[in-house]
Amino acid sequence: MSKPMHAAADGGTDITARTLRDWALPQPSFDGDKEVRGHVLIVGGAREMPGAVMLAATAALRAGAGKLTIATAASVAPLVGMAIPEARVIGLAETANGGFTLEAARKLGELAGKAGALLVGPGMQDDGATAELVHALLPRFAGTAIVLDACAMGAVRMAGEAHLLDEPKDMAHFRFAEPVLLTPHAGELAHLTDQDKDDVAADPQAAAVAAARRWNAVVALKGATTVIAAPGGQHWRHEGGNIGLAISGSGDALAGIIVGLAARGASLEQAAAWGVALHASAGEQLSIKYGVLGYLAREISAEVPGLLRTLAPA
């Protein structure tokens, strides 16, 4: 899929309304069914945070995905199923620390080849078990658009039996076999790369580009200025939104929007660019309704369909 040509002086691309119109999202045919619109699998949630996976799931559907499967903690799966009646909900066995056991990889592997996009991370707990699960899922979902969010991004630091050893495995030279998308903010990227948060924040473009090359990943480094970097060094920059988006659950909504767009057939870079812009624009719309402070993360996704129509090519 072609990429927009509005390059900045540093070789990057500013994400604007014009950029997005020139980088149009895949559109299903008028007679397409829900499978044509894309099947999303979201793995996340825990006993203490079932809401995160609900926020991401709702956002994925609002972004236009046609079919949704949620895999979450067995203890809260019935609750999630009632809250999101559009979804198939799979209950996963839990670890003592609130993560998922490796049996989840075998169970979810049955959906490989059926789901067009996979999101792992919203609301998950037990960093070690989560990293191990991610590494077990990656080969099973080869060829699938994969988004890693929240503690699932720890897969770049931990693998194998790391959680059993109670210490991280050295992943200094870890690279994904196929590019996936990671969505860290400055603090998370600093942790994942053993840098100082202030250094990352001081030059987010350099930090995102370096991480993307290091991991063979698309990295969406979130902030007041969000930088999206691809493994080959291409990068995009978005400025917008408001402080109201700095609220619990906002990142879950963003991850859901992105994976929903990826399920529709957008590349990881395109899904990230559009997702970041839609998320920021939703914040701007909500600030008009409620004020800059006080709107809720659950309200973000409802703004997305209208924004998609506004930004669609004429």
Side-chain angles (χ1 to χ4, degrees):
M1 187 172 295
S2 63
K3 295 181 173 61
M5 299 301 294
H6 310 302
D10 60 5
T13 300
D14 290 324
I15 300 171
T16 64
R18 180 185 172 191
T19 308
L20 298 177
R21 290 192 178 100
D22 289 349
W23 202 5
L25 290 167
Q27 297 292 337
S29 61
F30 76 95
D31 58 348
D33 59 19
K34 62 185 178 183
E35 297 288 351
V36 171
R37 286 177 53 180
H39 181 180
V40 172
L41 170 60
I42 300 180
V43 183
R47 289 188 297 270
E48 296 180 4
M49 291 187 289
V53 75
M54 298 181 199
L55 291 169
T58 301
L61 292 178
R62 292 292 192 181
K67 190 172 182 179
L68 171 65
T69 300
I70 300 171
T72 191
S75 59
V76 297
L79 169 65
V80 172
M82 292 179 65
I84 312 289
E86 298 87 353
R88 172 191 178 189
V89 179
I90 300 171
L92 302 177
E94 300 163 71
T95 68
N97 293 324
F100 304 141
T101 69
L102 267 184
E103 175 60 29
R106 290 182 284 273
K107 195 169 187 178
L108 296 175
E110 298 173 2
L111 292 171
K114 299 177 182 178
L118 167 66
L119 167 62
V120 187
M124 292 179 72
Q125 296 180 302
D126 192 338
D127 291 354
T130 298
E132 192 166 12
L133 176 60
V134 169
H135 284 285
L137 291 174
L138 288 172
R140 288 175 167 86
F141 284 85
T144 302
I146 298 177
V147 180
L148 301 181
D149 184 49
C151 77
M153 294 186 291
V156 301
R157 289 182 58 89
M158 296 161 50
E161 303 299 316
H163 75 290
L164 298 179
L165 298 173
D166 197 30
E167 62 182 1
K169 184 177 179 179
D170 180 14
M171 299 294 286
H173 302 292
F174 174 76
R175 286 177 61 82
F176 291 99
E178 299 177 358
V180 306
L181 171 63
L182 283 77
T183 59
H185 53 60
E188 289 171 326
L189 187 62
H191 171 69
L192 295 173
T193 56
D194 294 319
Q195 297 182 74
D196 185 91
K197 177 181 176 180
D198 291 339
D199 292 337
V200 173
D203 194 348
Q205 178 177 302
V209 169
R213 284 176 168 155
R214 173 180 180 179
W215 296 325
N216 188 35
V218 178
V219 175
L221 178 53
K222 301 178 292 189
T225 297
T226 293
V227 176
I228 300 164
Q234 310 96 318
H235 53 279
W236 297 261
R237 180 174 48 248
H238 181 271
E239 295 183 9
N242 53 59
I243 190 61
L245 288 168
I247 190 172
S248 294
S250 181
D252 303 316
L254 172 59
I257 295 169
I258 291 172
V259 79
L261 297 175
R264 291 175 48 180
S267 67
L268 292 176
E269 297 94 333
Q270 185 184 29
W274 270 85
V276 166
L278 289 166
H279 183 257
S281 295
E284 292 166 356
Q285 293 292 104
L286 289 168
S287 72
I288 296 171
K289 295 180 182 179
Y290 301 108
V292 175
L293 301 180
Y295 60 82
L296 306 176
R298 73 185 70 163
E299 294 161 335
I300 293 171
S301 59
E303 301 295 321
V304 171
L307 290 167
L308 281 167
R309 181 174 58 187
T310 299
L311 291 171

